[in-house]
């Protein structure tokens, strides 16, 4: 039984081990992001997709080289013709062989190979940008989870301090009631506020457990001691510069642009079907005892071969129309992505400016409310203030503290959101590419 309990303790310790804790046991914001991008299954899936597109590009390049084909047939043959009937050999069975070695080099295909190669190259670019976009998104999700855990832990501390303040006040009121200095109504009022403070504490503890669970989902690790995110206003300058950088560097836009190029090349590939195919074919054919012959046959040739489809039931025309429609779809997707990013930048910048202003005002409000609470306590002790005034002042301090912590979190997170929209999050945090891509140099 003791061994079983010891095993459970060890397992629990492993399950709650902190994610990539630093030397002092504290997990930084960068380490949280590293933990998230290193294990996220969607990033791994996009790595496989990029590798697949890279192989497709290599396959498209291979079409520019000649193909060498060997065809060989061997077996029994009974061949009847006017010659065999004249020779009275039509009932003879022969062991025949037929071998052809052909070297084929396409010299014209309506530009099909070139546009296929360019389309594959564009798809590889799209896969790379899609991978980068997902890394940035997962990184921002990890930052959000980190911020939420830190905030909820701070709110739990504030709620515990709020309960303690109400406890102290209730003890003081109880002594006054026992001494006959105040009424029992004051004591019940203080108990009511204490119960509400306990309820708030319970709520915040529940929120903390939810935030920690979300952190574990994103990073694959249980949150240990997390560093408090620092505010870096130098990361952004003004909205216009953020917007310009977003339009130039955001991987979503680059992905949409690459998809558009790929669709345009697909349209050209479809149009290439209207042109003939011209190949240079160098071949050597060797037969033995084939088609009633008692000897061998050899045919060496170098030919210019053309094939041209003149009618295919309109399928080529329909495929071209479909390709044109896909180009229109890609253009619309690019416009939609651009419009959405502009909206996100404006919204994130507004949230950032709002949070910056809120922090400044909540800091002043908290200072004033602390001064008010302290003065009310002094005045209450000399009978110049009611208990309700004191309870309200304590609650105001707590409310302003909660609002300040929330505003600080929003200020910091909205800043990182702007950096992500610019496409610079991983670069700003100096997260190495090899963290999530083992094949990177």
């Amino acid at each position: 039984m003791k061994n079983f309990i010891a095993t459970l303790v060890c397992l629990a310790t492993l399950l709650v081990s902190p994610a990539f804790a630093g030397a002092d046991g504290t997990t930084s914001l960068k380490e949280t992001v590293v933990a998230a991008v290193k294990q996220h299954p969607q990033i791994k899936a996009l790595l496989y997709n990029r590798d697949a597109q890279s192989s497709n590009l290599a396959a498209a390049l291979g079409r520019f080289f000649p193909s060498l084909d060997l065809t060989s047939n061997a077996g029994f043959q009974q061949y009847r013709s006017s010659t065999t009937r004249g020779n009275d050999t039509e009932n003879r069975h022969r062991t025949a062989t037929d071998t052809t070695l052909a070297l084929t080099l396409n010299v014209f295909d309506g530009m099909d190979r070139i546009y296929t190669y360019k389309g594959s190259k564009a798809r590889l670019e799209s896969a790379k940008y899609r991978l980068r976009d997902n890394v940035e998104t997962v990184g921002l999700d990890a930052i959000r989870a980190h911020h939420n855990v830190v905030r909820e832990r701070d709110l739990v501390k504030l709620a515990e301090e709020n309960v303690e303040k109400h406890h102290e006040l209730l003890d003081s009121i109880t002594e006054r009631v026992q001494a006959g200095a105040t009424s029992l109504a004051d004591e019940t009022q203080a108990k009511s506020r204490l119960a509400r403070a306990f309820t708030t504490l319970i709520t915040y503890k529940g929120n903390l457990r939810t935030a920690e669970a979300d952190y574990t989902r994103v990073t694959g690790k249980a949150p240990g001691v997390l560093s408090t995110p620092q505010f870096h206003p130098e990361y952004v300058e003004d909205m216009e510069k953020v917007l310009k950088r977003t339009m130039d560097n955001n991987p979503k836009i680059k992905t949409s642009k690459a998809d558009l190029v790929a669709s345009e090349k697909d349209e050209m590939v479809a149009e290439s079907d209207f042109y003939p195919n011209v190949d240079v074919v160098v071949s050597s054919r060797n037969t033995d005892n084939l088609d009633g012959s008692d000897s061998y046959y050899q045919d060496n040739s170098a030919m210019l071969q053309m094939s041209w489809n003149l009618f295919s039931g309109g399928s080529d025309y329909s495929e071209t129309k479909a390709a044109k429609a896909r180009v229109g779809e890609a253009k619309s997707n690019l416009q939609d992505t651009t419009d959405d990013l502009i909206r996100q930048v404006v919204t994130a910048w507004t949230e950032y400016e709002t949070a910056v202003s809120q922090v400044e005002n909540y800091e002043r409000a908290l200072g004033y409310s602390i001064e008010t609470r302290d003065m009310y306590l002094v005045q209450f002790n000399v009978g110049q203030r009611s208990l309700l005034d004191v309870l309200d002042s304590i609650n105001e301090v707590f409310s302003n503290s909660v609002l300040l912590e929330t505003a600080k979190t929003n200020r910091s997170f909205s800043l990182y959101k702007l950096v992500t929209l610019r496409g610079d999050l991983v670069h700003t945090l100096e997260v190495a590419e090899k963290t999530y891509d083992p094949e990177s140099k």
Side-chain angles (χ1 to χ4, degrees), residues 1 25 70 81 104 109 135 150 212 246 298 363 389 393 401 440:
M1 185 65 181
L70 175 65
S81 68
T104 305
D109 58 0
V135 170
V150 172
E212 289 176 338
T246 300
Q298 187 179 60
E363 284 177 342
D389 291 336
S393 66
S401 300
S440 65

Side-chain angles (χ1 to χ4, degrees), residues 77-80 84-85 88-94:
Q77 183 186 45
Q78 182 184 24
Y79 184 79
R80 294 179 178 179
T84 58
R85 285 191 293 272
D88 196 23
T89 59
E90 61 180 349
N91 293 321
R92 183 184 299 179
H93 291 77
R94 296 175 174 82

